Amino acid sequence: MPSLVHKRSAQHLTDSSESEDLPSRESSAPSRTLKRARTIPEEAAPEDEVSEGGPGSEGNGVLVKPDVDGSLLSEADSDREEEGVMGHGGGGIERNTQPFQTGSIVRIKAENFVTYTAVEFFPGPNLNMVIGPNGTGKSTIVCAICLGLGSSPANLGRAKEISEFVKHGCETATIEIELQGKENERNPIIKRKIGRENNTSTFTLNGSPSTSGKITKLVKSYNIQIDNLCQFLPQDRVVEFAGLTAIDLLTHTQRAAAPPEILGHHENLKKLGKRQKELLNELEIDRNQLTSMKARQAALEQDVLRLRERQDIIKRIELLEKAKPFVKYRVARGLAKDAKDAGKVAELELRELEQQVEPMTEAPKAKRRYQKALERCVVEKKKELEAKEEAVTKFKDDVIGKADEKITDITDKMDAARSAERGRKQQIVREKEKIAKLKKQLEEDPPEVDLAYYNRKISDSNHEIRNTKERIDDIDSEIRPMVERANQINGQISRKNKDLQDLNSVIGVRERMLERMSKDTHQVWQWIKTHRDKFEQEILGPPVLTCNVTDPRYADVVESQLGKNDKLALVAQNKDDYRKLLDVCFGPGPESLKLRDVTIRENSNVPIPPLPIAPGEAQSLGFDGFTLDFIDGPAPVISMLCQECRIHTTPISFREFTAAQNKNMENTRINRWITGRNMYTLRRRYNQVMTNVTSVRNAQAFAAQQVDTHAEQEIRRSIGEMESDLEDVKGKIEELKDSRTTFVTKYRAAQAANREIKEEKVAKQQEAAKHVKLKATLASAEEDLKRKMGGGEDYKENMRSWKSQKEELVMERAVDAQKFAGLVKSLVAIHNEVILCQIRLAEAGSDAEILQRRIGDVLRALETKKTESSNLAKHATECAARARALQGACRKIIQGLSPEESEFMNQISPEKNAEDIETDIEAENARLDLLHEGNPNAIKQYEDRATKIRSLEDKIAGREKNLTKHSAAIAELRSRWEPVIDRLVAKISTAFSRSFEKINCAGEVRVHKEEDEYDKWAIQILVKFRANESLQVLNNQRQSGGERAVSTVFYLMALQSLARSPFRVVDEINQGMDPRNERLVHHRMVSIACQEYTSQYFLITPKLLPDLSYHKRMKVHCIFSGDWLQEDIRLDPDKYLRIGARVKTMAC
């Protein structure tokens, strides 16, 4: 049943305050702009048969019971239902008594929401078609459903903030939605108030305050899934639905049509399958690790056996080493006992021998006593002799020696005086010669020095030098600015020559063109060229400078596609450089250029987009290529032109196309092309194509540039004038340089004369000073001569005194010599006594030796026995000490022995000695050498690995048990989930195939199964739109946009009777379809959505094809809105229905 919504434009209501006369069902709004919803029958009927729709009274029709299980109708029933739907053309209007499903929308009301000031309408329980021109507020109804049921704006794909849905100029918006309640329960009324300030919203439920969480819980209890694209598909998310992967489509299908637990089963299967794979991977890793460890363990086993044998040998060697002290102690103890017994026997034998020898040794002893007395006498005489020798030596040193020293000292003084006298006489001779020479030099007159004369000449010379230097400085000060002027002129000439070169180059021509087109852009470009170091990457110049047309014939065509700002745009290659350049051009800082006419664009590694069609296809259509093919420049600049001017989508032909060729372009994806001098632009809207033709402008920036001859002549004239000025300046400089050279020569000559005068003055002064110095030297020499002449008397007096002293000392020394002779005589007498005593001592010793030889054999036997006894005693002591030491070592070893080691020590044969132990040790070492040591850590590694192998085997057993549990759980869960999915998809496929058969095509829906990878199970849609092809998987590559749209609608329709959701919303899904497909899809949609006991359906569309079929259970909501509506218009839907009925009656 159609309804009509009329919205008047807000711009007609600004000054009016009159209230509207609305039907009683309309809700009054605080504002004058109201939208009215009325229920209108589809076909014409008498006026008294038209009634406004409302809850519980919408639609006319006969209530038909569903199949037993409420599932899809059989094909025969479906055909009969469709015939009834499409053939409906009765003369009267029947009431639609179809009841609302629980959770269906009974009423929607909104105030100050998006485009609506106030609106309230009442949808039907089946298909609700909302139509109206673009911008009238169709999609606003979808927004109201979404937000009114507590959902997020993200599910709409439009604005991100809830406050953006408040109507412009208002502070708050209100949405009120009434749902069909459950049996024996009142209808829940949800109201949401949205505040623009602070982006807030509040909820009420049945007039009582509520929360977003409670509203969400209520909505879920009715199985309303706003976030499921299979149930709720707003206009801005159609593309998102088309882009759903097959895996995501299975998830959305389960949420929309399967029992709630089925999706949970699938999610659990995904988790269990993922965990099963993880367990299998872990088990495989553990098994591989176990195999590897066992292989390494087997390879190490022989080494371990060999190492253990080595350890046993080493242990035996250690025990033998420990046994060595015990064996040594046993031997040492026996030796000590034997040595002690032998010592006692030798001691007894010595005592007996001493008793026999004692009488025979008395005579030699007496002689030895006499010998000792003589030895004492010799010692005393020698001491007396030493004392006498010391007294003689002291007298010689102290008395005679000192006398000799005094005599020698006087002799030395006399020799020194004689030498000094000889030197004095020689100095007198030399002084006399010196005085004679000085007197001869002083006989010459000293030179006269006129200091005033020399000072005057030096002053005149200095004055001349200063004057000449000042003149040279004056000339330099005149030359310096002239040189600067010459350099300045040279620089100007160089710049003019550069301008002349630029004038003859394309870059120069284009830079002047850039300056004419935009002085601000030219200024900032000159700044960029001198400040490139301030940017991270190069700032690329505008296309007018950096791009070239590869073929001059296409210059007009290429440039005609570029706007002025596009040709002048500077390109920054990253955001930081973009912001820096903005600050330089427009910023408030002191470094800003304060410009206005500058275009800056940022292109951060954006690639050049692909061509819309292949180059071969473009050539087959008659094009030479795309605009992109005929322009060259830096990649970022070309990418910018592609983004801004779409030069990669515009093909070009140098020749004109025929009308048929241009018409043929409407069937391609090309919307703009250029042929000859004309540019064609297509605009497609609602299956209508409009072509706009414009002429190609003549190129300026990319045209072949000619040299500006007038500018060239002006530059050459300026260069000639500057060169003439330069010659004049150079002439003046040369004149001044010649004058300067003259003065420099004069300056240097004056300096040389000045130096000569000063040198002559100094020479005269030195000669005069030398004469004065000679007089002083002569006086000093005469004084020295006089002093030296008077020194002879002292010499004679000193010599007489020293001679007298020497004679007295000689006499004293003679007396002392006599005393010394007496001392020497007494010394000789004592010496003779010493000799006599030594002779007697020698005789006594000889006598003692003779007596001793007579008893020597007996004494030698006695000494031998003493030595033997002493050695035996010493040997016994050493053996006892060695035995005690070994005993202490053995005690320490015993304390650290284990029972096993003690047993080994006890088993050592008493017959074995240390040598036998050493032999055993050497034998064991020989065995040890035969066994290679190998890896010293092998045993520890073997034992550690054995522990790890046992642990890993336990771990593998646990994993296998866990894997068995997981596999059983997966099998059990799959047995509950897979059949349900298979049945569900089979039903969907049946309905999907039936819809395609109605349009003479084929379609099928399958479940794509990946064994044990449940996260890869997917819905696979297969379609066939042509008789000569097989079923193909639906994707973006094989089917066109219209074909994909048809397939999407049929899939949603297939879910209709299976859906567990109380209502479904689809916004403008029919856009992009050709008229045939749109008509077929509409036909099928109405037939399915208007079956008995199906869920509520909302279809939003901006237009409908003529002569479509409608069902008695559907309701059409027409929205009339726009600036073209009059202020006080009153629409009378009943009037239009009556007119339609009369027209239809006349046609029959």
Side-chain angles (χ1 to χ4, degrees):
M1 300 285 294
S3 68
L4 181 145
V5 177
H6 167 219
K7 182 183 74 172
R8 293 180 306 161
S9 175
Q11 65 183 6
H12 301 298
L13 305 175
T14 55
D15 297 325
S16 176
S17 60
E18 298 178 0
S19 62
E20 298 284 348
D21 294 330
L22 300 177
S24 59
R25 178 164 292 154
E26 294 291 314
S27 62
S28 60
S31 173
R32 295 184 59 251
T33 303
L34 301 177
K35 291 195 174 183
R36 296 170 295 170
R38 297 188 60 194
T39 303
I40 304 174
E42 175 201 352
E43 300 180 6
E47 184 175 356
D48 58 354
E49 292 185 3
V50 178
S51 63
E52 297 178 355
S57 63
E58 283 79 1
N60 297 314
V62 179
L63 182 64
V64 181
K65 292 184 180 180
D67 289 349
V68 176
D69 60 353
S71 63
L72 286 172
L73 299 174
S74 67
E75 287 196 13
D77 293 339
S78 178
D79 290 342
R80 287 194 299 271
E81 178 70 16
E82 188 169 328
E83 289 173 2
V85 171
M86 298 307 163
H88 177 66
I93 296 179
E94 300 177 356
R95 293 285 182 181
N96 181 9
T97 58
Q98 175 78 22
F100 281 90
Q101 298 289 331
T102 300
S104 299
I105 297 176
V106 176
R107 178 175 59 88
I108 302 174
K109 180 179 180 182
E111 294 181 2
N112 299 327
F113 184 72
V114 191
T115 60
Y116 292 111
T117 300
V119 66
E120 183 177 21
F121 70 96
F122 304 87
N126 297 102
L127 176 61
N128 292 271
M129 183 178 292
V130 181
I131 65 172
N134 286 329
T136 56
K138 302 183 302 299
S139 297
T140 303
I141 297 173
V142 178
C143 297
I145 294 173
C146 173
L147 301 179
L149 294 177
S151 187
S152 167
N155 291 318
L156 295 170
R158 288 192 170 190
K160 295 181 180 180
E161 303 294 340
I162 188 73
S163 60
E164 297 182 34
F165 290 88
V166 179
K167 184 177 181 181
H168 181 69
C170 300
E171 293 301 321
T172 60
T174 304
I175 307 168
E176 185 175 293
I177 296 180
E178 181 179 352
L179 301 178
Q180 178 64 41
K182 298 178 182 178
E183 188 175 358
N184 299 325
E185 293 183 5
R186 63 174 293 186
N187 289 354
I189 299 175
I190 302 170
K191 186 174 183 180
R192 183 174 190 173
K193 185 175 183 181
I194 303 169
R196 181 185 299 277
E197 186 177 358
N198 297 330
N199 195 37
T200 58
S201 61
T202 58
F203 292 89
T204 61
L205 179 61
N206 297 326
S208 301
S210 185
T211 62
S212 174
K214 291 181 180 179
I215 298 299
T216 301
K217 185 176 181 181
L218 172 67
V219 170
K220 285 186 177 179
S221 69
Y222 287 104
N223 202 30
I224 298 173
Q225 303 171 10
I226 298 297
D227 58 342
N228 189 346
L229 295 180
C230 291
Q231 176 185 347
F232 191 85
L233 187 60
Q235 176 182 354
D236 295 288
R237 300 188 71 189
V238 171
V239 175
E240 181 181 345
F241 181 81
L244 283 178
T245 64
I247 296 173
D248 294 335
L249 186 59
L250 175 59
T251 301
H252 284 277
T253 301
Q254 291 181 93
R255 293 183 61 201
E261 68 274 7
I262 295 301
L263 183 59
H265 292 343
H266 190 195
E267 293 300 324
N268 289 334
L269 277 173
K270 289 180 185 178
K271 295 177 182 177
L272 289 172
K274 181 179 179 182
R275 181 55 185 158
Q276 185 185 41
K277 285 199 296 184
E278 292 175 354
L279 287 172
L280 286 171
N281 290 335
E282 293 169 355
L283 188 59
E284 181 67 20
I285 292 171
D286 290 343
R287 285 172 175 169
N288 292 338
Q289 185 180 2
L290 179 61
T291 303
S292 175
M293 290 174 68
K294 285 184 175 180
R296 291 199 298 271
Q297 195 76 336
L300 195 60
E301 189 169 3
Q302 293 300 322
D303 291 341
V304 171
L305 292 175
R306 186 167 57 252
L307 283 172
R308 284 178 174 169
E309 185 177 357
R310 279 182 58 86
Q311 288 181 343
D312 292 341
I313 294 172
I314 292 171
K315 182 67 174 176
R316 180 171 175 78
I317 291 172
E318 291 176 353
L319 290 173
L320 289 172
E321 290 289 347
K322 290 181 179 179
K324 284 166 64 177
F326 292 94
V327 175
K328 289 179 179 180
Y329 169 68
R330 188 168 59 217
V331 173
R333 186 176 59 183
L335 291 175
K337 185 175 181 302
D338 294 342
K340 184 177 181 181
D341 294 342
K344 290 181 179 179
V345 172
E347 183 69 21
L348 292 174
E349 291 177 354
L350 178 61
R351 294 287 178 266
E352 292 176 358
L353 188 58
E354 285 178 345
Q355 291 175 2
Q356 295 174 7
V357 172
E358 186 175 359
M360 300 172 62
T361 58
E362 185 61 32
K365 289 181 180 179
K367 185 59 73 175
R368 290 293 183 192
R369 288 194 292 271
Y370 174 68
Q371 184 182 4
K372 288 183 184 286
L374 289 175
E375 288 176 354
R376 288 194 295 272
C377 180
V378 171
V379 170
E380 290 175 359
K381 289 296 180 180
K382 284 184 176 181
K383 289 181 179 179
E384 186 179 355
L385 178 62
E386 289 174 0
K388 183 59 72 174
E389 286 177 349
E390 184 179 353
V392 171
T393 303
K394 183 178 181 181
F395 183 83
K396 180 182 177 182
D397 293 338
D398 293 345
V399 178
I400 297 176
K402 289 181 180 180
D404 289 341
E405 288 177 2
K406 290 179 181 180
I407 292 170
T408 302
D409 184 46
I410 291 173
T411 302
D412 292 339
K413 289 181 180 180
M414 293 174 67
D415 292 338
R418 293 188 188 97
S419 177
E421 180 63 20
R422 286 193 298 270
R424 183 180 67 82
K425 291 179 179 179
Q426 292 174 358
Q427 288 178 356
I428 289 171
V429 173
R430 286 196 297 271
E431 287 293 332
K432 287 180 178 180
E433 292 175 353
K434 180 180 178 181
I435 290 170
K437 184 178 179 181
L438 290 172
K439 287 181 177 180
K440 185 177 180 181
Q441 291 177 353
L442 288 172
E443 289 178 356
E444 298 177 3
D445 295 331
E448 295 182 359
V449 182
D450 190 352
L451 294 177
Y453 166 76
Y454 285 109
N455 291 337
R456 186 171 58 256
K457 290 191 69 174
I458 291 171
S459 177
D460 294 341
S461 177
N462 288 338
H463 181 70
E464 182 180 1
I465 289 171
R466 283 195 299 273
N467 291 339
T468 306
K469 182 66 172 62
E470 290 175 357
R471 182 56 184 150
I472 291 171
D473 292 341
D474 292 340
I475 294 173
D476 287 341
S477 63
E478 293 179 20
I479 290 175
R480 194 175 299 110
M482 290 184 180
V483 171
E484 293 176 356
R485 173 60 180 159
N487 292 336
Q488 183 180 7
I489 294 172
N490 278 326
Q492 292 174 351
I493 292 173
S494 298
R495 288 192 291 274
K496 287 294 181 181
N497 285 326
K498 179 66 170 55
D499 293 341
L500 190 60
Q501 292 176 359
D502 291 344
L503 189 65
N504 290 279
S505 68
V506 175
I507 293 299
V509 172
R510 289 190 178 179
E511 285 210 359
R512 287 192 299 278
M513 176 175 289
L514 174 64
E515 186 176 10
R516 290 196 299 271
M517 294 175 69
S518 173
K519 292 186 180 297
D520 287 356
T521 305
H522 181 266
Q523 181 181 349
V524 73
W525 177 242
Q526 298 303 318
W527 184 90
I528 289 171
K529 290 194 293 185
T530 58
H531 295 81
R532 296 185 188 276
D533 59 329
K534 293 185 178 295
F535 300 96
E536 297 178 8
Q537 292 179 274
E538 180 184 6
I539 301 297
L540 299 173
V544 72
L545 295 180
T546 56
C547 295
N548 294 298
V549 177
T550 56
D551 189 339
R553 295 180 302 164
Y554 297 95
D556 295 346
V557 174
V558 172
E559 190 169 341
S560 64
Q561 299 178 56
L562 310 182
K564 179 182 177 182
N565 289 339
D566 300 322
K567 290 185 286 188
L568 298 177
L570 299 165
V571 179
Q573 299 189 64
N574 58 67
K575 291 184 179 180
D576 290 339
D577 288 349
Y578 176 75
R579 287 192 287 268
K580 288 179 185 176
L581 192 55
L582 284 176
D583 292 339
V584 170
C585 295
F586 315 113
E591 297 182 356
S592 173
L593 300 177
K594 302 295 190 296
L595 304 177
R596 299 177 62 186
D597 182 22
V598 178
T599 301
I600 305 171
R601 288 176 181 156
E602 184 236 335
N603 190 294
S604 301
N605 298 323
V606 178
I608 297 175
L611 301 175
I613 60 176
E617 185 179 351
Q619 291 178 359
S620 67
L621 293 173
F623 292 103
D624 302 332
F626 285 86
T627 306
L628 180 63
D629 300 329
F630 300 100
I631 188 170
D632 185 27
V637 178
I638 298 298
S639 175
M640 180 273 293
L641 293 177
C642 289
Q643 300 296 326
E644 300 294 334
C645 305
R646 313 297 294 173
I647 61 173
H648 65 292
T649 64
T650 306
I652 298 173
S653 174
F654 197 66
R655 59 180 181 80
E656 291 284 355
F657 273 16
T658 63
Q661 285 178 305
N662 286 325
K663 184 66 176 175
N664 185 44
M665 294 301 295
E666 297 179 4
N667 299 322
T668 68
R669 286 183 287 176
I670 302 300
N671 292 324
R672 184 173 69 178
W673 69 93
I674 299 175
T675 62
R677 302 289 299 179
N678 294 321
M679 180 187 298
Y680 297 84
T681 305
L682 288 184
R683 299 189 182 277
R684 294 182 173 90
R685 188 175 179 87
Y686 304 135
N687 297 323
Q688 294 182 358
V689 179
M690 295 180 291
T691 304
N692 183 33
V693 183
T694 57
S695 297
V696 173
R697 303 186 303 273
N698 291 330
Q700 294 181 1
F702 297 138
Q705 302 295 335
Q706 301 295 327
V707 176
D708 189 344
T709 55
H710 176 73
E712 181 181 10
Q713 291 173 359
E714 182 65 25
I715 291 173
R716 292 189 183 279
R717 184 189 61 76
S718 298
I719 290 174
E721 291 178 355
M722 286 186 284
E723 287 177 345
S724 176
D725 293 344
L726 181 61
E727 290 299 325
D728 292 343
V729 173
K730 286 182 177 179
K732 293 179 180 179
I733 290 173
E734 289 301 324
E735 291 177 2
L736 290 171
K737 283 184 176 180
D738 292 341
S739 176
R740 185 181 186 282
T741 302
T742 301
F743 281 105
V744 168
T745 303
K746 184 178 179 181
Y747 175 76
R748 291 174 179 170
Q751 281 186 323
N754 185 273
R755 281 195 299 273
E756 291 177 359
I757 295 171
K758 289 180 178 178
E759 290 172 358
E760 183 181 350
K761 175 185 176 183
V762 170
K764 295 285 188 180
Q765 288 177 331
Q766 288 177 349
E767 290 179 3
K770 184 178 180 182
H771 192 272
V772 174
K773 186 177 181 181
L774 286 174
K775 290 181 178 180
T777 302
L778 177 60
S780 176
E782 290 176 343
E783 184 66 27
D784 289 341
L785 178 61
K786 183 179 180 182
R787 187 175 60 256
K788 291 174 180 177
M789 289 293 289
E793 296 297 330
D794 294 335
Y795 165 71
K796 294 177 181 179
E797 182 63 30
N798 289 335
M799 289 298 289
R800 284 193 296 268
S801 175
W802 288 333
K803 188 176 181 180
S804 175
Q805 291 177 7
K806 184 176 180 181
E807 291 174 352
E808 291 178 359
L809 289 172
V810 170
M811 292 300 292
E812 291 177 357
R813 184 180 183 282
V815 174
D816 293 334
Q818 291 177 354
K819 293 179 179 179
F820 180 71
L823 291 173
V824 171
K825 186 177 180 180
S826 61
L827 176 63
V828 171
I830 295 172
H831 188 268
N832 291 333
E833 291 177 0
V834 171
I835 292 173
L836 181 60
C837 289
Q838 287 176 340
I839 292 171
R840 290 176 179 173
L841 177 62
E843 291 175 350
S846 178
D847 294 341
E849 287 295 331
I850 292 170
L851 293 173
Q852 189 69 31
R853 280 195 296 271
R854 291 175 183 174
I855 62 170
D857 295 335
V858 178
L859 291 176
R860 277 193 296 273
L862 181 61
E863 288 297 327
T864 301
K865 185 55 69 175
K866 285 182 179 180
T867 302
E868 180 183 356
S869 177
S870 175
N871 289 338
L872 288 173
K874 183 178 180 182
H875 178 64
T877 303
E878 290 175 353
C879 288
R882 187 158 51 250
R884 284 194 299 272
L886 290 171
Q887 185 182 29
C890 290
R891 286 174 179 171
K892 290 181 180 178
I893 292 173
I894 289 172
Q895 291 175 358
L897 290 179
S898 64
E900 181 183 353
E901 291 173 336
S902 298
E903 181 66 21
F904 178 83
M905 298 299 176
N906 293 331
Q907 291 177 358
I908 296 175
S909 173
E911 303 298 328
K912 283 192 175 185
N913 54 25
E915 292 179 356
D916 296 332
I917 297 295
E918 288 293 342
T919 301
D920 292 344
I921 291 174
E922 290 177 0
E924 295 297 334
N925 280 324
R927 288 181 59 200
L928 188 64
D929 292 338
L930 293 175
L931 294 174
H932 189 269
E933 182 177 2
N935 181 6
N937 298 321
I939 294 178
K940 186 176 186 308
Q941 292 175 359
Y942 185 85
E943 294 172 350
D944 291 346
R945 189 177 291 117
T947 302
K948 291 180 180 178
I949 287 173
R950 289 191 296 272
S951 175
L952 190 56
E953 287 174 343
D954 295 341
K955 185 178 179 181
I956 289 173
R959 288 194 190 281
E960 290 174 343
K961 184 177 180 181
N962 197 6
L963 181 62
T964 302
K965 290 182 180 179
H966 266 76
S967 300
I970 289 173
E972 190 275 332
L973 190 58
R974 181 173 177 174
S975 66
R976 286 189 283 141
W977 174 73
E978 186 177 9
V980 177
I981 292 299
D982 289 340
R983 289 194 299 272
L984 174 65
V985 175
K987 290 180 181 180
I988 295 172
S989 182
T990 300
F992 188 75
S993 301
R994 179 66 176 162
S995 297
F996 267 86
E997 289 174 2
K998 294 296 183 180
I999 63 173
N1000 296 321
C1001 296
E1004 182 180 348
V1005 181
R1006 301 174 184 169
V1007 179
H1008 174 74
K1009 301 180 180 181
E1010 291 280 348
E1011 194 63 30
D1012 297 331
E1013 295 189 19
Y1014 301 100
D1015 56 342
K1016 294 183 180 179
W1017 284 42
I1019 292 289
Q1020 198 173 60
I1021 300 176
L1022 298 93
V1023 296
K1024 183 179 77 170
F1025 285 92
R1026 297 164 188 82
N1028 58 350
E1029 66 180 14
S1030 60
L1031 286 170
Q1032 302 286 340
V1033 175
L1034 181 68
N1035 57 38
N1036 294 336
Q1037 287 74 39
R1038 289 194 178 96
Q1039 290 81 23
S1040 66
E1043 291 170 345
R1044 293 197 303 273
V1046 171
S1047 303
T1048 300
V1049 172
F1050 282 171
Y1051 187 81
L1052 294 176
M1053 290 296 100
L1055 292 175
Q1056 178 68 16
S1057 61
L1058 298 173
R1060 300 176 56 81
S1061 304
F1063 65 85
R1064 310 167 74 80
V1065 177
V1066 178
D1067 190 357
E1068 299 193 16
I1069 191 66
N1070 58 338
Q1071 297 305 299
M1073 298 183 188
D1074 57 57
R1076 175 181 175 277
N1077 285 336
E1078 185 176 354
R1079 189 176 298 278
L1080 292 173
V1081 167
H1082 177 85
H1083 178 91
R1084 188 62 181 162
M1085 184 184 299
V1086 172
S1087 68
I1088 294 175
C1090 292
Q1091 293 177 2
E1092 283 189 295
Y1093 299 105
T1094 59
S1095 60
Q1096 192 178 36
Y1097 206 99
F1098 290 88
L1099 174 64
I1100 314 297
T1101 180
K1103 48 87 179 181
L1104 291 173
L1105 296 173
D1107 300 325
L1108 293 174
S1109 298
Y1110 299 89
H1111 194 278
K1112 62 185 178 181
R1113 295 194 187 103
M1114 69 182 291
K1115 192 171 187 179
V1116 180
H1117 304 268
C1118 302
I1119 300 178
F1120 293 88
S1121 175
D1123 295 339
W1124 37 267
L1125 289 179
Q1126 297 178 5
E1127 173 75 16
D1128 299 323
I1129 189 170
R1130 294 289 186 273
L1131 295 179
D1132 187 358
D1134 297 343
K1135 173 182 177 182
Y1136 294 114
L1137 292 176
R1138 288 193 297 272
I1139 294 173
R1142 286 197 298 270
V1143 172
K1144 188 171 184 180
T1145 302
M1146 293 172 62
C1148 294

